Amino acid sequence: MAETGLPVDLTNCDREPIHLLGAVQPFGFLIALDSTQWTVTRASRNVAEWLAAGPAGLIGRSIDDVFTPESIHLIRGQLQTALFTSTVARAFSVALLTDGPRFDLAVHVNEDTIVIECEPCSDEQGVNSSALVRAMIARLQQTADLRTFYRVAAREMRRLTGFDRVMIYRFDHDGSGEVIAESVRGGLDSYLGLHYPASDIPRQARILYERNWLRIVPDVSAIPVAIEPAILAGQPLDLSMSILRSVSPIHIEYLRNMGIGASMSVSILRDGKLWGLFACHHCVPHTVPFERRTAAELFGQMFSLLMESRERDEESAYEARARTLHNRLVTVMAEEATRFDSIVSHLDEIADLLSCDGIGVWTGGNANLQGMAPTQAQFAGLIDHLARHDLGEVLAVHEIAAEYPPGRAFADRAAGMLVVPLSRPARDFLVFFRKEVSRTVNWAGDPSKPVVVGSLGARLTPRKSFELWRETVSGQSVPWQPVDLRIAESLRVSLLEVILRLSDITEFERKRSQERQELLIAELNHRVRNILGLIRGVISQSRDPSLTVDAFADVVGGRIQALARAHDQITADNWGPASFRGLVVAEAGAYLGSKATRVRLSGPEMLLEPQGFTTLALVVHELMTNSAKYGALSDSRGGIDIETRLDAQRNLHITWTEHGGPPVEQPTRRGFGTTVIERSIPYDLKGEAAVDYDVAGVCARFVIPESYVRPAPGALAEPAAEAIPGVSAADLPKDVLIVEDNMIIALDAESSIVHAGIETVRVASSVAHAMKAIATRPPDFALLDINLGRETSFVVAEHLASLGIPFVFTTGYGEDIAFPPKLLGVPRIRKPYTGDALLTAMRR
């Protein structure tokens, strides 16, 4: 780090531009293209080792003159993925030159530059990366506690990558970190339990770890390869998303001092923020093939999701206990009084909401303290300090003395505080205290970095010794966690809105609203957990080593979409009974398209209770997909007859008969789909299921117990057999206008509509844009989001109605609140919706 006239301290490392080093590691080469002309603008100096020319011979040439047409076509396709997801797209075993070696590619876009990075392909015969990751995840899911979970994850990552040492490194609140799990080759010292200061991984490096899931340095001693030209249009090439990006000289020196010959890190994120790293070290240079690194990255992503889920379960139990106490406390306080004296009288119960050692409340210039807390005079001084900051939200501090130096006098009793402001402006406070926790920290060497003067001027040097260095930390409490802040914020809202009567609604309305909210939250928690458990089960049971990743995604996606369609039909009637015929129509139309006309329904129309409906939705989905792939609907002749009838006990009998298709063969293996068809109704509904694989066509019979069955109005009259309406592009409008202020939702809707074959789709994000689009060319159909931020789409709706243009609303609202009377009858699609729901609405 060169002398700049700035003071040399630990923050200098944070200012090192590690993404603008102008060089790459030599295990591959880089080519940069102009995104409009696709001409070469930059190239790494080592490009001539693999291509026929060096940078001077490539710069200015069209990439069409360098790579094969097939490889350029592939790169353009991968570039679409990179643009849409803002990530690095990958391609494996690509022949860039005719009769040349194959390369693994990484492609990303940086402003107006396309960056292509290539490394020689290391084709590992017999290695199935997706199967490896699935097996690794399966072993993780078998662990009982978090400690074992972390240890197994480190072992699995080391088994996958072959490094001498793999550590799970977790960041603390101050940017320092600790090794919480480790898998290490025999004969090496253990780093488990060691801490590393925040300056070892500077802030800008942590930012890059949030953008790039994986970073590798195969050879610490390798000489970086310069990118030419270094400066173009006054700027170096931004390598933030580069996999070949060279390494900071300071970091190289750090790794050498540790005796490391190669390193790799895989990010662990929680809520999109860097939680920790898989830190992988090798004593000598070590290369991990690109495809195996991609598997390691996928494992890191899956580990992050599973880790977050497990930690949330622990937090949820803590939060649920606090919520129970909170609700009980608020109810009692609301009945007793609405003044601050009610808070004082229940101070010990309020303290039970959080893990704390003391509590204090300051109201109207008076202090009340309990447990381990400052004295009255000390508390008054602290409150004066807080009042000057005019707090508008909860404040968490684990070292009071760092922000309020007089706090050192009572740090032994109250070192940390969680402050809850009780008035606006903030002059009354509720403060939770935590006592001092003196602890011994085992650092991996002295965490301070010496300043030396050398050829580069004054700079910080990485420490050369990593021998155990102990430090006793005092004056701090156990840090407050996000769950503590959520509990305190919930309490703050309750005390302000309920106890202090600062809401504009009446006491009766407040109580009713709170009860309704609690009921909704409890029901939502129950349903969401059930749905997540069901989806997790579908993913787990759909595993099949013979499937490719894309095929696996299609199978799981189809099953989840079937559940989504079932959920849409159930929630359309406020979680009431839903139509069996509607289920068959939705499944046939969504999956079979024009083949849907070959499905015929006969018998009385029946409604199914939600549990029975969801179970039957998966069964019908599996039957439909099997028929389309292997059965009566797999050719142009066959058909399906579905018959319903009620027996004397009012149980529903469903007969599924396929005919006219290819000869049926008995299944040679029993996958998850077959298990769903044969066992879900007996297991979940205590009904019956029988499947006959007759050579002329599959025949399945099901019995749904009467407790799940409701006849539809007028259903007992026997209707004639009826064909399911087919789906064709002719049923759909040609020009659709989408009015939606959320870009992601608008893109998803646009993609679904375009995929269905509609010629023109236009998107408007506001009333003004929508009215301009209609004036330019009236659409055939419009999709209107009700809430457009600060305005609604009702004006657009009324204008469309006056022009006779059909439209539907999309909304997350479930009631008719604030709807103009003349728009109450307009069809509405509930969010979140599927592409199928949009197409169904347009056909109507």
Side-chain angles (χ1 to χ4, degrees):
M1 191 177 299
E3 179 64 61
T4 61
L6 296 172
V8 180
D9 56 33
L10 291 178
T11 63
N12 290 74
C13 289
D14 288 341
R15 293 192 290 268
E16 185 183 13
I18 60 176
H19 61 301
L20 302 175
L21 297 178
V24 296
Q25 298 179 73
F27 65 91
F29 65 89
L30 177 148
I31 290 180
L33 311 177
D34 176 84
S35 61
T36 56
Q37 302 296 324
W38 280 65
T39 55
V40 179
T41 57
R42 284 184 166 108
S44 59
R45 192 173 294 168
N46 65 343
V47 69
E49 296 178 21
W50 290 283
L51 303 183
L58 291 176
I59 293 173
R61 291 174 61 186
S62 170
I63 197 64
D64 294 333
D65 299 333
V66 181
F67 292 166
T68 64
E70 294 79 10
S71 64
I72 294 174
H73 175 74
L74 179 62
I75 290 170
R76 287 183 179 273
Q78 294 300 312
L79 187 63
Q80 187 64 42
T81 301
L83 284 169
F84 191 75
T85 60
S86 299
T87 57
V88 177
R90 299 168 173 81
F92 304 105
S93 190
V94 179
L96 297 177
L97 305 175
T98 303
D99 299 326
R102 291 185 173 271
F103 295 88
D104 294 328
L105 309 185
V107 184
H108 72 275
V109 179
N110 177 22
E111 295 182 349
D112 59 351
T113 299
I114 299 167
V115 179
I116 304 173
E117 298 174 276
C118 314
E119 59 182 274
C121 176
S122 300
D123 190 12
E124 296 182 281
Q125 295 296 326
V127 174
N128 186 330
S129 297
S130 61
L132 280 174
V133 173
R134 284 200 297 271
M136 293 164 69
I137 295 299
R139 287 188 283 270
L140 265 187
Q141 291 174 324
Q142 295 171 2
T143 58
D145 56 81
L146 275 174
R147 183 178 179 182
T148 307
F149 178 75
Y150 297 142
R151 186 173 67 249
V152 170
R155 186 182 66 209
E156 293 296 326
M157 183 64 82
R158 181 166 169 250
R159 179 184 299 172
L160 175 67
T161 59
F163 278 90
D164 289 335
R165 183 195 308 275
V166 171
M167 301 168 285
I168 293 184
Y169 182 79
R170 181 176 61 194
F171 289 101
D172 289 334
H173 61 278
D174 59 357
S176 65
E178 178 186 4
V179 178
I180 63 170
E182 179 185 51
S183 176
V184 62
R185 174 175 61 81
L188 297 179
D189 293 337
S190 173
Y191 290 170
L192 186 63
L194 292 183
H195 288 71
Y196 292 78
S199 56
D200 278 17
I201 304 179
R203 181 180 59 85
Q204 80 277 30
R206 295 196 293 271
I207 293 173
L208 289 181
Y209 280 131
E210 289 183 355
R211 298 185 63 188
N212 303 303
W213 280 90
L214 187 143
R215 169 74 164 148
I216 188 168
V217 183
D219 185 355
V220 167
S221 300
I223 300 173
V225 177
I227 297 172
E228 297 183 356
I231 302 296
L232 187 65
Q235 296 293 328
L237 181 62
D238 187 336
L239 297 174
S240 296
M241 300 295 289
S242 168
I243 63 169
L244 295 175
R245 173 169 50 88
S246 64
V247 189
S248 157
I250 293 177
H251 187 57
I252 289 291
E253 187 176 345
Y254 176 90
L255 294 175
R256 285 174 175 164
N257 291 346
M258 288 189 75
I260 294 172
S263 75
M264 187 179 82
S265 57
V266 181
S267 302
I268 303 171
L269 303 184
R270 176 170 177 179
D271 295 327
K273 301 297 182 183
L274 189 65
W275 179 94
L277 297 169
F278 284 97
C280 311
H281 292 168
H282 211 67
C283 297
V284 296
H286 179 62
T287 299
V288 181
F290 196 8
E291 188 168 2
R292 193 171 281 262
R293 296 203 311 267
T294 301
E297 181 177 331
L298 176 59
F299 177 70
Q301 293 169 347
M302 295 302 296
F303 172 85
S304 296
L305 293 174
L306 292 173
M307 178 273 299
E308 182 173 342
S309 175
R310 292 205 175 194
E311 289 197 343
R312 284 193 187 281
D313 285 344
E314 291 189 355
E315 292 177 1
S316 295
Y318 176 48
E319 200 164 359
R321 171 190 168 277
R323 189 183 305 116
T324 301
L325 294 174
H326 176 141
N327 294 341
R328 186 188 311 149
L329 178 65
V330 167
T331 301
V332 172
M333 293 174 70
E335 292 175 352
E336 290 179 348
T338 57
R339 304 299 301 170
F340 287 115
D341 53 5
S342 180
I343 299 176
V344 174
S345 64
H346 290 279
L347 204 55
D348 54 343
E349 296 168 83
I350 295 175
D352 288 338
L353 292 173
L354 288 169
S355 176
C356 67
D357 301 297
I359 191 170
V361 62
W362 179 275
T363 58
N366 298 312
N368 286 271
L369 298 159
Q370 289 186 10
M372 301 189 72
T375 64
Q376 294 269 351
Q378 290 169 338
F379 188 48
L382 178 62
I383 292 299
D384 183 61
H385 167 76
L386 294 173
R388 287 198 295 269
H389 289 78
D390 191 23
L391 298 178
E393 57 187 16
V394 172
L395 171 68
V397 177
H398 76 284
E399 187 177 3
I400 296 175
E403 298 192 10
Y404 177 63
R408 295 190 185 93
F410 53 83
D412 58 331
R413 287 167 286 121
M417 64 180 177
L418 186 61
V419 183
V420 181
L422 296 178
S423 54
R424 302 168 182 156
R427 58 183 180 276
D428 304 291
F429 300 91
L430 179 67
V431 185
F432 296 88
F433 292 106
R434 281 183 177 170
K435 65 183 179 181
E436 178 185 43
V437 179
S438 294
R439 58 194 176 107
T440 299
V441 179
N442 293 327
W443 294 102
D446 186 340
S448 61
K449 291 187 177 183
V451 177
V452 300
V453 177
S455 59
L456 298 177
R459 71 181 185 96
L460 290 166
T461 62
R463 60 184 184 278
K464 292 179 171 54
S465 172
F466 288 84
E467 293 295 324
L468 182 64
W469 194 87
R470 286 189 169 93
E471 177 187 21
T472 300
V473 177
S474 60
Q476 298 180 4
S477 72
V478 174
W480 304 94
Q481 299 301 318
V483 64
D484 296 313
L485 272 67
R486 291 197 298 270
I487 293 170
E489 178 61 22
S490 177
L491 176 65
R492 184 184 76 88
V493 171
S494 294
L495 293 177
L496 286 175
E497 303 296 337
V498 179
I499 304 303
L500 304 181
R501 294 185 181 275
L502 295 180
S503 175
D504 294 330
I505 59 178
T506 66
E507 184 70 19
F508 171 78
E509 290 172 329
R510 264 200 310 274
K511 185 175 180 181
R512 181 183 176 192
S513 175
Q514 182 179 347
E515 290 173 351
R516 183 179 179 188
Q517 183 183 40
E518 290 170 359
L519 214 72
L520 286 172
I521 290 173
E523 180 64 15
L524 183 61
N525 282 340
H526 173 72
R527 291 185 183 177
V528 167
R529 285 184 180 276
N530 282 349
I531 290 171
L532 291 176
L534 179 59
I535 290 176
R536 180 178 178 181
V538 168
I539 294 173
S540 176
Q541 293 300 318
S542 299
R543 288 180 298 180
D544 185 344
S546 67
L547 293 177
T548 66
V549 173
D550 289 339
F552 176 72
D554 289 341
V555 169
V556 172
R559 287 168 178 162
I560 293 175
Q561 282 296 333
L563 291 172
R565 285 190 289 273
H567 188 269
D568 282 346
Q569 290 177 261
I570 294 169
T571 54
D573 289 318
N574 295 317
W575 206 254
S579 162
F580 172 69
R581 182 187 185 281
L583 167 62
V584 176
V585 169
E587 192 63 31
Y591 192 80
L592 305 179
S594 60
K595 293 183 182 180
T597 56
R598 290 152 61 189
V599 179
R600 297 181 64 82
L601 271 169
S602 62
E605 163 68 308
M606 291 294 150
L607 304 179
L608 299 173
E609 295 292 346
Q611 183 181 353
F613 191 88
T614 303
T615 300
L616 202 55
L618 273 180
V619 173
V620 172
H621 171 76
E622 296 300 332
L623 286 168
M624 285 285 187
T625 54
N626 287 348
S627 181
K629 290 179 181 178
Y630 318 110
L633 300 180
S634 63
D635 60 17
S636 60
R637 304 186 309 275
I640 302 173
D641 291 331
I642 303 173
E643 179 186 1
T644 59
R645 67 178 179 86
L646 290 177
D647 63 18
Q649 287 74 40
R650 305 188 72 80
N651 298 316
L652 174 62
H653 291 247
I654 301 172
T655 304
W656 172 289
T657 307
E658 298 187 18
H659 54 81
V664 174
E665 297 180 2
Q666 187 77 17
T668 57
R669 58 182 293 274
R670 303 182 67 82
F672 179 62
T674 304
T675 302
V676 166
I677 294 170
E678 296 180 358
R679 295 178 57 185
S680 58
I681 290 176
Y683 188 90
D684 291 337
L685 308 182
K686 306 302 183 284
E688 299 174 16
V691 182
D692 181 14
Y693 296 93
D694 188 271
V695 68
V698 171
C699 182
R701 299 175 181 85
F702 307 100
V703 179
I704 312 298
E706 60 86 23
S707 58
Y708 298 101
V709 181
R710 298 286 182 275
L716 297 182
E718 284 285 336
E722 180 181 2
I724 302 299
V727 179
S728 68
D731 298 323
L732 301 173
K734 303 299 183 185
D735 186 334
V736 174
L737 174 65
I738 300 172
V739 183
E740 169 63 63
D741 66 330
N742 184 295
M743 184 186 70
I744 300 300
I745 295 176
L747 287 174
D748 188 51
E750 181 183 19
S751 176
S752 298
I753 294 171
V754 170
H755 185 72
I758 291 176
E759 297 176 1
T760 304
V761 180
R762 293 175 287 161
V763 177
S765 61
S766 66
V767 169
H769 291 162
M771 298 296 275
K772 183 177 180 181
I774 296 169
T776 302
R777 185 178 70 254
D780 299 328
F781 183 88
L783 198 68
L784 309 181
D785 180 22
I786 293 175
N787 191 337
L788 300 175
R790 297 184 178 180
E791 56 186 358
T792 69
S793 62
F794 294 145
V795 173
V796 181
E798 291 171 351
H799 183 53
L800 289 170
S802 69
L803 297 176
I805 298 172
F807 61 94
V808 296
F809 286 122
T810 65
T811 177
Y813 299 108
E815 301 172 352
D816 293 334
I817 295 175
F819 260 70
K822 57 186 174 181
L823 297 178
L824 286 176
V826 175
R828 274 167 261 172
I829 305 175
R830 295 272 185 88
K831 293 181 179 179
Y833 50 76
T834 64
D836 303 330
L838 298 180
L839 299 179
T840 300
M842 286 188 283
R843 293 188 198 105
R844 291 174 183 167

